[in-house]
Amino acid sequence: MCDLIKDMEQKLLGHWKVLLVAPPTDELLCSCFTEGAVKLAERWGKRCKRAVDCVLVECCMYGYRWLTPTQLKSVVTDVLGLRVPVSGAELVVLEQETDKVRTVHADCLRKVAEREKRPLASSASADAERQPLILILDKQLQALPWESTAILAEHPVSRMPSLPFVTRLAQRLAAQCGDQARQQPQKDIVRDGVDTRRAFYVLDPANNLQKTRAKFEPIFRDRYGWDGIAGEKPTPEQFKNALECHDLVVYCGHGTGEQYLAGSAVQQLRRCGVALLMGCSSGSLAAQGDFEPTGMPLHYIIAGCPGVVGNLWDVTDGDADLLTEDLLEKWTGGSDPQRAVPLLARALAAARHACKLRYLIGAAAVCYGVPVHVRQKRRV
């Protein structure tokens, strides 16, 4: 699996993997890269006597640290429109412009270090915290764990089936915010984040995952103080109420939980909290021939669920439990909420490292939906 993921990045994406690197959250670093990209685009436009897409150059600046020297030259070659194989005078141009990218990138980091009076190493673009990225994958690519490629592994990544799904979900969530604001002054899950005190768990409903139940029941009940059921099957009404009346629902059982609440019923929910479906293949989408794949995560998205975590393939309960525990610890902050990693997709990226089988089990866990964060608790 590790070799497959490396090949996905190096052979399928190649040097254009930089297009998947989101801008840094550091506004100063981002603005410096933008300024550098504008200068490069103007310089290259004069070189090749045509307009050069500044956004493309900006992506090159964001992803510079993940490019090998050969890949960097390939990016410059494509942007400048040089003939391959590059030779003669064009080879000199290629070397000059490649060096210019290195110089501009280094200048950007130096400016940030000087303005904020911090070591140059701490400004490194590869280590910078990134803004959320939403992947829209076709039916052939959606089964692969793109989130675990080196260029995306440490950053918040979620999935959506299409751009209209993104806009429609955003519109629906915005409408829910407006309705709730008119009806009552309480805080809203999308605008203000997930209130982890309003959570519900469905733990080992088939009553045959004794280790999982023994591990999580005291954590959910005593540490977090959540409501829920363990060791028994929820009725469809219980599952429906859990999703509609809570900000977060954690399902630790076999499969997707569809055996307790059908996908068609999920779609009819008037409101749906964030769902962590930690069963086998809970995040997989089934092929439908010439049509787009379908699966439980899409039922939740259609219902207006802002975020769904699931597994792309079957996983072992031991490693899945380690990932679930670490995900909740990082996302909520555990005993110290001030240490929480507020963004769900960012917490999931960090939690994959808790698995003993990092690529076989950790890579299976993916997030669907729009960026969703946990509500920050203030110190008393």
Side-chain angles (χ1 to χ4, degrees):
M1 182 60 72
C2 179
D3 290 340
L4 170 64
I5 292 174
K6 288 179 179 178
D7 286 346
M8 286 163 50
E9 179 176 336
Q10 299 301 328
K11 295 181 179 180
L12 293 182
L13 297 177
H15 56 281
W16 287 122
K17 60 187 176 181
V18 294
L19 297 178
L20 296 181
V21 181
T25 56
D26 186 322
E27 293 183 1
L28 178 57
L29 183 60
C30 191
S31 64
C32 285
F33 280 155
T34 300
E35 292 174 8
V38 169
K39 292 178 181 178
L40 279 175
E42 291 176 351
R43 176 187 173 95
W44 290 352
K46 294 176 182 178
R47 279 276 194 182
C48 59
K49 295 180 173 58
R50 62 177 175 82
V52 172
D53 190 342
C54 186
V55 174
L56 194 61
V57 182
E58 201 169 349
C59 288
C60 178
M61 298 295 289
Y62 295 153
Y64 171 83
R65 291 290 187 179
W66 285 277
L67 292 171
T68 64
T70 301
Q71 289 175 334
L72 178 58
K73 289 183 178 180
S74 295
V75 171
V76 176
T77 298
D78 287 350
V79 173
L80 291 178
L82 302 178
R83 290 175 295 180
V84 180
V86 183
S87 60
E90 288 189 341
L91 183 58
V92 176
V93 172
L94 175 60
E95 294 293 342
Q96 290 176 344
E97 299 311 316
T98 302
D99 287 341
K100 188 62 178 178
V101 174
R102 297 190 183 100
T103 301
V104 171
H105 187 274
D107 288 344
C108 290
L109 298 185
R110 192 174 298 108
K111 287 180 182 178
V112 173
E114 290 173 354
R115 291 182 191 178
E116 298 194 349
K117 298 180 180 180
R118 65 190 188 193
L120 185 62
S122 67
S123 303
S125 57
D127 301 325
E129 189 175 86
R130 301 282 167 178
Q131 295 178 18
L133 173 71
I134 297 178
L135 294 178
I136 298 176
L137 305 169
D138 67 16
K139 59 185 179 182
Q140 283 81 25
L141 299 178
Q142 57 83 24
L144 297 173
W146 296 99
E147 294 85 346
S148 291
T149 55
I151 200 166
L152 297 179
E154 305 301 325
H155 305 306
V157 182
S158 60
R159 299 178 171 212
M160 286 292 275
S162 68
L163 189 56
F165 257 88
V166 178
T167 56
R168 183 68 186 92
L169 179 59
Q171 290 170 356
R172 175 166 180 168
L173 294 175
Q176 288 179 358
C177 288
D179 291 342
Q180 291 187 9
R182 287 189 293 270
Q183 294 171 8
Q184 49 191 358
Q186 68 179 28
K187 292 189 176 181
D188 175 79
I189 181 176
V190 179
R191 182 184 61 246
D192 302 298
V194 175
D195 185 350
T196 55
R197 294 169 298 183
R198 300 183 66 245
F200 191 92
Y201 63 86
V202 178
L203 178 60
D204 185 22
N207 197 24
N208 57 8
L209 295 172
Q210 284 77 17
K211 291 183 179 179
T212 299
R213 181 178 173 184
K215 180 185 185 71
F216 285 113
E217 190 167 13
I219 292 176
F220 294 163
R221 184 189 59 216
D222 303 328
R223 184 190 302 178
Y224 295 123
W226 293 346
D227 296 327
I229 56 176
E232 60 180 273
K233 298 178 181 179
T235 65
E237 193 63 25
Q238 282 180 308
F239 214 131
K240 176 184 175 181
N241 289 338
L243 290 167
E244 287 187 334
C245 301
H246 295 81
D247 281 8
L248 172 66
V249 173
V250 181
Y251 172 80
C252 295
H254 296 294
T256 63
E258 189 173 15
Q259 60 270 46
Y260 309 113
L261 185 65
S264 57
V266 172
Q267 291 187 31
Q268 303 303 315
L269 296 175
R270 56 182 175 80
R271 176 190 180 277
C272 187
V274 172
L276 306 186
L277 309 177
M278 307 312 294
C280 289
S281 300
S282 54
S284 66
L285 302 180
Q288 302 295 326
D290 291 337
F291 300 99
E292 292 302 311
T294 61
M296 204 61 179
L298 300 189
H299 295 307
Y300 277 86
I301 297 299
I302 292 172
C305 178
V308 185
V309 173
N311 294 304
L312 291 176
W313 52 78
D314 289 356
V315 294
T316 59
D317 56 351
D319 253 10
D321 290 350
L322 290 175
L323 185 142
T324 303
E325 182 180 19
D326 201 58
L327 171 60
L328 291 172
E329 180 72 19
K330 285 182 167 60
W331 195 34
T332 66
S335 57
D336 185 3
Q338 299 302 315
R339 298 181 60 186
V341 180
L343 203 60
L344 175 58
R346 197 185 306 280
L348 178 60
R352 291 189 183 101
H353 294 286
C355 297
K356 296 178 181 178
L357 300 175
R358 166 70 179 82
Y359 292 99
L360 193 59
I361 307 300
V366 296
C367 182
Y368 290 84
V370 294
V372 60
H373 64 281
V374 71
R375 187 178 301 174
Q376 295 288 283
K377 300 182 180 68
R378 297 179 180 178
R379 292 184 184 274
V380 180

